[in-house]
Amino acid sequence: MTQTELPRNTPPDKNPQVAVTHTAHPKKWKWYDYFTFNIDHKVIGIQYLVTAFLFYLIGGLMAIAIRAELATPDADILDPNLYNAFMTNHGTIMIFLWIVPSAIGGFGNYLVPLMVGARDMAFPKLNAIAFWLNPPAGLLLLLSFLFGGSQSGWTAYPPLSLVTAPVAQSLWILAIVLVGTSSILGSLNFVITILMMKVPSLKWDQLPLFCWAILATSVLALLSTPVLAAGLVLLLFDINFGTSFFKPDAGGNVVIYQHLFWFYSHPAVYLMILPIFGIMSEVIPVHARKPIFGYKAIAYSSVAICVVGLFVWVHHMFTSGTPGWMRMFFTISTLIVAVPTGVKIFAWVATLWGGKIRFTSAMLFAIGLLSMFVMGGLSGVTMGTAPFDVHVHDTYYVVGHFHYVLFGGSVFGIYAGIYHWFPKMTGHKLNEFLGRVHFALTFIGTNLTFLPMHELGLQGMPRRVAMYDPQFTSLNEICTIGAFILGLSVIPFTINILWSWSRGEVAGDNPWRALTLEWTTSSPPLIENWEVLPVATHGPYDYGHSPEAQPTATPEVSA
C-alpha cells in the first residue's frame, strides 16, 4: 500500500475514542520509505534529523579546517579567500541546516502530533514540501564553492556582499530563501496542529512544555522570517539586476539591510533555543522523577521571550551609528529578555533540587546545557549593554559568547533529546557507556574551544581573520585542541546510533516511565500513531503525586 492510500489526517477529533478502521495499512514503514516524499510526520521528523546531522558533519569539518588554520598566526593551510568561504558557510550551515531543522523540524515534527494526541500534522503534504526544500538549499551552498564561495560572512553585509563572488553570493541567498520558506510552511503547520488537533481530554494547562515552546517558536518565525527574505531578495536584485537598495555609492543605505537582517537574525537565536528549552523541560522532570517546577511560569516565559525577542535586534548595531536613545531603549529591552530566560533556568534547577536524579546520557547533556547556557547568558548580558558591546564588538569575545549559547545551548539540547527519544523513534535504547564518552568529549571540547575566546576578545583579537598577531598564539592553540576533541566526540555518537538502531537493547514502549502522551503508543509508533486515540488521565509531569498512578495515560478502547 502506498502512502497516498492512507486515510486522511483527521481534523479536530470530536470522538477521540473512535478506532482506526483501516486495517489494511502497514504497521511501520520500510527503510526505503525514509528516502521518499513521505507524508508521515514521524518519517519527516527523522528525515529532518538525519539530514541535519549530515550537514552538521559538513559544517563541523569546515570548523576543524578553520581552527587548524588558526593554530598558527600565518595563513599556511587555507587560502584567505577559501578561509572566508569556509567561515561563511560554516556559520550558515550550522544555523540554517543543523540547529533550526533538527530542533524544530526534527523534534517538532516527530513529537508534536504524538504529544497532542493527533494522528499527523494538520497539513501532511505541506509538511513534506517544507522538508524537501532543505536538501536543495544545502546543495546550493555547497555548489557556491565552484564559484569561489560566498565570502561575506553569514550576515552577508553589503557592500562586501555586493563585490565578492557574485554568483556564489547569489546561490547563498537562494539557499537561505529556500530554508526560510521551509521554516514559514513548517511554522504554519505547527500552529494549526497545536491549536486545532489536540485531543479534547488534554487541557491547555496540561499541554507539554515542548509544545508550548514549539508554538511560541512558530509564531516568532512567522513574524520575523519574511523580513529576512525581503532583505535578501533586495540584496539579490542589487547583485544581479542593477538596483541600488543597499549600494552606498548609488544612494542606497547599508544600515537598512542591517535592520532587516537582524530583525530576523536575533529572534533566530530564540528560534533555535526555544525548542531546546522545550526539550529540557521534558527531559529533566522525567530523569529527576519530579514534577516540573513552575509549569505556568515556563509556559508563559516562552511566550514572553517570543514577544520581547522581537524588540532587541538593534543591540547588534550599537556601532553602526545608532542614535543614543536607541542604544538606551535596546539595552533595556535586551536586558529584559534575560528575565523570562532566567525563569526557565531557575525552574529547571528547582526541579532538579531534591529529585531522584538518574544520570543517564540524556540527563548529563541536559545538565551540561544548563552550565553552558548560564555561561553564554551571562556574557550575553554584558554584551547587551552598549558601552561594553562597543568595546568588544567584532572581537573573539563575541565568537565565544554565541558559541556558548548556540553550541553549548542548542547542540547539548539536541543530544539530550536524541538520547531521550531515541527509544521511542527506533524501539532500541542507546548504549549508555558510549553516551557518557560522547558527553565527556563534548563537554571538555566545548569549554577548551570557546572559553579562551573570551580572553582573546578582551585582549583585542578581531574575529573573521585568517592571520593574527603572534601574541594570541597560545590561546588559539588551546582553542584548536578543543575543536579537534569536539570533532572526535562525534565518533562514539555515530557508532552508538548506527549500532543501537540495529542491535541495541530493546527499549519497550516506555523505558523512562514518562507521562506525556507520546509514550502511550508503541516504540516505534504505528503509522497513524494509535489504533485508538489516547485520553489524558493526568498531567504530563505528575511524578510522585501518587505511587499508584499509572506511568502512562491509558487509552480507553471503544466498545
Side-chain angles (χ1 to χ4, degrees):
M1 186 174 187
T2 65
Q3 55 181 296
T4 55
E5 297 173 274
L6 287 172
R8 293 178 55 193
N9 184 41
T10 52
D13 294 83
K14 295 181 180 178
N15 182 6
Q17 298 307 311
V18 175
V20 175
T21 56
H22 334 272
T23 55
H25 67 72
K27 294 293 183 184
K28 61 181 181 180
W29 298 110
K30 303 294 184 183
W31 65 268
Y32 47 80
D33 291 313
Y34 290 86
F35 295 89
T36 64
F37 187 85
N38 199 298
I39 59 174
D40 187 316
H41 71 97
K42 301 181 294 298
V43 174
I44 294 171
I46 290 178
Q47 286 175 329
Y48 265 113
L49 285 172
V50 173
T51 306
F53 185 70
L54 292 176
F55 281 115
Y56 173 57
L57 294 180
I58 295 171
L61 288 174
M62 291 181 184
I64 295 292
I66 291 170
R67 285 310 320 172
E69 172 59 61
L70 293 174
T72 61
D74 298 322
D76 43 14
I77 295 179
L78 297 175
D79 173 84
N81 289 333
L82 183 61
Y83 176 90
N84 287 337
F86 270 25
M87 182 195 66
T88 299
N89 287 281
H90 159 71
T92 306
I93 288 173
M94 288 305 197
I95 290 173
F96 294 105
L97 292 169
W98 158 237
I99 298 177
V100 172
S102 56
I104 306 175
F107 289 107
N109 269 293
Y110 198 97
L111 295 172
V112 164
L114 288 167
M115 284 184 165
V116 301
R119 297 201 184 282
D120 207 325
M121 296 286 284
F123 308 109
K125 291 182 180 177
L126 197 65
N127 201 23
I129 292 171
F131 165 72
W132 284 104
L133 291 175
N134 285 270
L139 293 177
L140 284 175
L141 286 181
L142 298 180
L143 185 63
S144 71
F145 281 96
L146 298 179
F147 301 94
S150 52
Q151 300 174 24
S152 56
W154 80 283
T155 56
Y157 276 0
L160 184 60
S161 56
L162 298 173
V163 297
T164 56
V167 176
Q169 195 65 52
S170 298
L171 293 173
W172 183 90
I173 292 172
L174 292 174
I176 302 305
V177 170
L178 279 180
V179 294
T181 305
S182 168
S183 178
I184 292 172
L185 297 180
S187 298
L188 183 66
N189 221 344
F190 283 126
V191 171
I192 301 298
T193 301
I194 294 173
L195 294 182
M196 304 297 293
M197 297 184 66
K198 70 181 184 64
V199 289
S201 58
L202 185 66
K203 308 303 179 188
W204 282 107
D205 60 359
Q206 294 179 327
L207 190 69
L209 289 165
F210 179 76
C211 295
W212 276 109
I214 290 292
L215 182 62
T217 304
S218 300
V219 172
L220 193 58
L222 289 173
L223 293 174
S224 61
T225 307
V227 178
L228 173 68
L232 290 178
V233 169
L234 296 180
L235 183 63
L236 188 69
F237 278 26
D238 275 8
I239 295 173
N240 296 284
F241 302 114
T243 57
S244 55
F245 296 107
F246 307 125
K247 292 177 180 174
D249 56 349
N253 190 331
V254 296
V255 177
I256 290 179
Y257 174 84
Q258 294 185 25
H259 280 289
L260 295 174
F261 180 84
W262 286 114
F263 184 81
Y264 164 82
S265 295
H266 189 82
V269 174
Y270 305 115
L271 297 184
M272 289 179 266
I273 207 68
L274 275 173
I276 301 301
F277 286 167
I279 291 172
M280 290 284 286
S281 298
E282 302 300 329
V283 170
I284 287 178
V286 172
H287 295 267
R289 309 308 300 170
K290 258 188 80 178
I292 191 80
F293 183 90
Y295 170 92
K296 291 184 178 178
I298 294 177
Y300 296 158
S301 67
S302 293
V303 179
I305 290 172
C306 169
V307 175
V308 182
L310 289 170
F311 297 94
V312 301
W313 80 92
V314 173
H315 76 243
H316 293 276
M317 301 166 58
F318 283 153
T319 59
S320 301
T322 307
W325 69 268
M326 288 184 71
R327 287 184 175 182
M328 180 66 73
F329 174 81
F330 284 98
T331 291
I332 294 172
S333 62
T334 302
L335 296 181
I336 287 176
V337 82
V339 174
T341 306
V343 167
K344 291 180 183 292
I345 299 290
F346 176 78
W348 295 330
V349 172
T351 304
L352 288 169
W353 188 269
K356 298 177 181 178
I357 299 175
R358 294 180 290 187
F359 289 100
T360 59
S361 299
M363 188 57 136
L364 289 175
F365 274 102
I367 295 174
L369 183 150
L370 267 177
S371 63
M372 298 291 161
F373 196 79
V374 167
M375 177 69 183
L378 291 175
S379 59
V381 169
T382 62
M383 291 177 54
T385 55
F388 189 84
D389 181 85
V390 170
H391 178 69
V392 299
H393 185 76
D394 265 347
T395 70
Y396 257 83
Y397 188 92
V398 181
V399 182
H401 156 68
F402 71 68
H403 276 90
Y404 261 92
V405 173
L406 295 186
F407 190 94
S410 297
V411 177
F412 273 64
I414 291 170
Y415 282 140
I418 290 175
Y419 281 99
H420 182 66
W421 281 295
F422 188 85
K424 177 53 60 183
M425 296 176 178
T426 67
H428 298 276
K429 295 177 72 172
L430 284 166
N431 181 278
E432 282 295 323
F433 173 75
L434 288 174
R436 289 185 172 88
V437 173
H438 175 214
F439 169 76
L441 290 174
T442 307
F443 190 83
I444 294 170
T446 300
N447 285 290
L448 273 183
T449 306
F450 303 122
L451 188 60
M453 290 183 181
H454 294 81
E455 178 62 21
L456 282 170
L458 291 174
Q459 291 181 10
M461 178 173 169
R463 59 193 288 202
R464 302 191 179 107
V465 292
M467 296 176 285
Y468 54 84
D469 192 293
Q471 67 172 310
F472 304 123
T473 302
S474 298
L475 288 174
N476 271 295
E477 287 174 345
I478 295 173
C479 293
T480 299
I481 292 171
F484 277 91
I485 293 175
L486 269 182
L488 289 175
S489 72
V490 177
I491 295 175
F493 175 70
T494 306
I495 294 173
N496 201 355
I497 289 284
L498 296 176
W499 185 85
S500 298
W501 202 326
S502 59
R503 300 187 179 184
E505 177 187 351
V506 175
D509 292 344
N510 189 4
W512 311 125
R513 293 189 296 124
L515 297 177
T516 40
L517 288 181
E518 77 271 22
W519 299 101
T520 64
T521 186
S522 59
S523 298
L526 303 171
I527 285 181
E528 288 208 320
N529 298 344
W530 294 274
E531 289 294 339
V532 178
L533 291 182
V535 174
T537 57
H538 47 67
Y541 311 108
D542 288 347
Y543 302 104
H545 281 178
S546 167
E548 303 300 327
Q550 293 292 323
T552 61
T554 305
E556 299 173 10
V557 180
S558 60

